[in-house]
Amino acid sequence: MSEIIIDTYLCSGCATCVEMCPDVFRMDEVTEKAELVTVSPVITDEVHQAAAYCPEKCIEIIE
Ligand code: SF4
């Protein structure tokens, strides 16, 4: 099963992933870190791009 893991310790809250993939990522308004919109999102090319553009490299995709 594929999975997306966000290392919230490293996440800087820049929201790049949210801008690139708002169906998959959103900001946790309390912690100001990224979180997943759904537990098992479909991993599209856009998700891979968001992971690549994450400045902290804290989005891990397991397929
Ligand atoms: S792009 Fe990376 S550092 Fe920025 S909010 Fe998303 S997970 Fe956090």
Side-chain angles (χ1 to χ4, degrees):
M1 197 187 89
S2 52
E3 195 179 356
I4 302 171
I5 298 168
I6 302 168
D7 186 333
T8 51
Y9 180 76
L10 292 178
C11 173
S12 66
C14 71
T16 300
C17 57
V18 180
E19 286 168 28
M20 295 182 74
C21 287
D23 293 343
V24 174
F25 301 101
R26 69 182 172 203
M27 298 309 295
D28 181 319
E29 289 178 8
V30 175
T31 63
E32 299 185 336
K33 306 277 188 173
E35 65 178 6
L36 295 174
V37 174
T38 61
V39 178
S40 300
V42 177
I43 299 174
T44 60
D45 288 348
E46 285 74 25
V47 175
H48 281 282
Q49 279 183 357
Y53 277 93
C54 170
E56 308 303 333
K57 294 285 174 276
C58 59
I59 300 172
E60 186 181 356
I61 299 170
I62 300 168
E63 292 184 287

